[in-house]
Amino acid sequence: MFFNPPESGSLATRINFEFSDGSGSPLLRVIDNEWQVFTGDWDFEMSGNRYKFSDKDRATLLVLRFNAPHFLTIEKMHAYMGGRLFDVDENHMKVAGVSMKHIVASHCMSLISI
Protein backbone atom coordinates (compact mmCIF):
# COMPACT_ATOMS: atom_id res chain seq x y z
CA MET A 1 0.00 0.00 0.00
CA PHE A 2 1.38 3.37 -0.94
CA PHE A 3 0.15 6.88 -1.53
CA ASN A 4 0.70 9.50 -4.19
CA PRO A 5 0.18 13.22 -3.66
CA PRO A 6 -3.06 14.76 -4.92
CA GLU A 7 -3.33 15.64 -8.57
CA SER A 8 -3.10 19.31 -9.41
CA GLY A 9 -6.24 21.12 -8.22
CA SER A 10 -7.39 18.20 -6.03
CA LEU A 11 -7.24 17.55 -2.30
CA ALA A 12 -7.60 13.76 -2.63
CA THR A 13 -4.51 11.74 -1.80
CA ARG A 14 -4.13 8.95 -4.34
CA ILE A 15 -4.27 5.49 -2.77
CA ASN A 16 -2.60 2.44 -4.35
CA PHE A 17 -2.75 -1.21 -3.25
CA GLU A 18 -3.52 -4.73 -4.42
CA PHE A 19 -5.16 -7.53 -2.43
CA SER A 20 -5.09 -11.20 -3.33
CA ASP A 21 -6.47 -14.40 -1.89
CA GLY A 22 -4.32 -17.03 -0.18
CA SER A 23 -3.36 -18.59 -3.53
CA GLY A 24 -2.16 -15.27 -4.96
CA SER A 25 -5.13 -14.66 -7.26
CA PRO A 26 -5.97 -10.92 -7.35
CA LEU A 27 -9.18 -9.81 -5.61
CA LEU A 28 -8.97 -6.03 -5.54
CA ARG A 29 -6.59 -3.41 -6.92
CA VAL A 30 -6.70 0.33 -6.37
CA ILE A 31 -4.52 2.49 -8.63
CA ASP A 32 -4.63 6.23 -7.92
CA ASN A 33 -8.10 5.83 -6.33
CA GLU A 34 -9.51 3.76 -9.20
CA TRP A 35 -10.99 0.54 -7.78
CA GLN A 36 -10.65 -2.61 -9.90
CA VAL A 37 -12.30 -5.83 -8.72
CA PHE A 38 -11.22 -9.21 -10.09
CA THR A 39 -13.82 -11.51 -8.60
CA GLY A 40 -17.44 -11.77 -9.70
CA ASP A 41 -18.95 -11.98 -6.23
CA TRP A 42 -18.21 -9.01 -4.01
CA ASP A 43 -19.90 -6.11 -2.24
CA PHE A 44 -18.87 -2.49 -1.89
CA GLU A 45 -20.57 -0.12 0.51
CA MET A 46 -19.93 3.58 1.02
CA SER A 47 -21.41 5.32 4.02
CA GLY A 48 -20.27 8.89 4.53
CA ASN A 49 -16.49 8.79 4.80
CA ARG A 50 -16.32 4.96 5.22
CA TYR A 51 -15.63 2.49 2.40
CA LYS A 52 -16.28 -1.21 2.97
CA PHE A 53 -15.33 -4.07 0.65
CA SER A 54 -16.62 -7.61 1.34
CA ASP A 55 -16.13 -10.94 -0.38
CA LYS A 56 -18.80 -13.25 -1.83
CA ASP A 57 -19.57 -14.66 1.65
CA ARG A 58 -20.05 -11.11 3.01
CA ALA A 59 -16.86 -11.40 5.08
CA THR A 60 -15.29 -7.96 5.43
CA LEU A 61 -11.95 -7.66 3.66
CA LEU A 62 -11.38 -3.92 4.03
CA VAL A 63 -12.91 -0.92 5.78
CA LEU A 64 -11.29 2.48 5.18
CA ARG A 65 -12.33 5.75 6.82
CA PHE A 66 -11.21 9.01 5.25
CA ASN A 67 -10.61 11.87 7.64
CA ALA A 68 -9.89 14.58 5.09
CA PRO A 69 -7.64 16.20 4.42
CA HIS A 70 -4.87 14.56 6.47
CA PHE A 71 -5.85 11.09 7.72
CA LEU A 72 -6.81 7.70 6.35
CA THR A 73 -7.79 5.06 8.92
CA ILE A 74 -7.75 1.35 8.16
CA GLU A 75 -10.55 0.14 10.46
CA LYS A 76 -10.44 -3.46 9.28
CA MET A 77 -8.44 -5.46 6.77
CA HIS A 78 -8.12 -9.19 6.14
CA ALA A 79 -6.33 -9.80 2.88
CA TYR A 80 -3.05 -10.80 1.32
CA MET A 81 -0.58 -8.25 -0.03
CA GLY A 82 2.78 -9.34 -1.36
CA GLY A 83 1.99 -12.92 -0.37
CA ARG A 84 1.58 -12.02 3.32
CA LEU A 85 -1.64 -11.99 5.30
CA PHE A 86 -2.57 -8.60 6.75
CA ASP A 87 -5.09 -8.86 9.57
CA VAL A 88 -6.06 -5.47 10.99
CA ASP A 89 -8.82 -4.42 13.39
CA GLU A 90 -9.32 -1.66 15.95
CA ASN A 91 -6.97 -3.36 18.44
CA HIS A 92 -4.03 -4.65 16.42
CA MET A 93 -2.29 -5.23 13.15
CA LYS A 94 -0.85 -8.63 12.36
CA VAL A 95 1.36 -9.06 9.31
CA ALA A 96 2.43 -12.60 8.43
CA GLY A 97 1.82 -13.62 12.05
CA VAL A 98 3.72 -10.72 13.66
CA SER A 99 1.49 -8.58 15.91
CA MET A 100 1.82 -4.80 16.21
CA LYS A 101 -0.21 -2.34 18.27
CA HIS A 102 -0.72 1.43 18.49
CA ILE A 103 0.60 2.27 15.03
CA VAL A 104 0.35 5.84 13.81
CA ALA A 105 2.13 6.92 10.65
CA SER A 106 2.48 10.53 9.61
CA HIS A 107 3.93 12.24 6.54
CA CYS A 108 4.74 8.95 4.83
CA MET A 109 4.03 7.72 1.33
CA SER A 110 4.15 4.03 2.33
CA LEU A 111 3.06 2.53 5.65
CA ILE A 112 4.63 -0.91 5.18
CA SER A 113 6.92 -2.02 2.40
CA ILE A 114 7.30 -5.71 1.61
Side-chain angles (χ1 to χ4, degrees):
M1 179 178 283
F2 66 94
F3 307 97
N4 286 328
E7 294 182 276
S8 179
S10 172
L11 295 177
T13 298
R14 294 178 289 161
I15 301 167
N16 297 272
F17 61 86
E18 183 173 321
F19 286 163
S20 61
D21 62 18
S23 68
S25 298
L27 294 174
L28 170 68
R29 180 183 299 148
V30 178
I31 299 175
D32 288 336
N33 297 344
E34 179 184 334
W35 293 59
Q36 303 169 359
V37 180
F38 297 96
T39 179
D41 299 319
W42 58 276
D43 186 46
F44 176 77
E45 179 182 329
M46 185 178 85
S47 178
N49 63 345
R50 293 179 80 236
Y51 291 60
K52 180 179 176 181
F53 178 79
S54 304
D55 69 11
K56 64 181 178 180
D57 299 320
R58 308 276 295 156
T60 301
L61 298 176
L62 176 68
V63 178
L64 296 175
R65 185 177 73 238
F66 292 90
N67 305 85
H70 301 291
F71 295 98
L72 166 73
T73 302
I74 300 171
E75 292 184 359
K76 182 168 181 63
M77 179 167 54
H78 183 82
Y80 288 83
M81 287 192 301
R84 292 175 175 85
L85 177 61
F86 283 70
D87 194 14
V88 178
D89 65 24
E90 65 275 0
N91 297 313
H92 79 284
M93 178 169 82
K94 189 180 283 188
V95 180
V98 177
S99 248
M100 298 168 249
K101 293 185 177 189
H102 309 295
I103 298 169
V104 175
S106 179
H107 297 88
C108 63
M109 297 309 277
S110 178
L111 178 57
I112 293 178
S113 183
I114 297 174

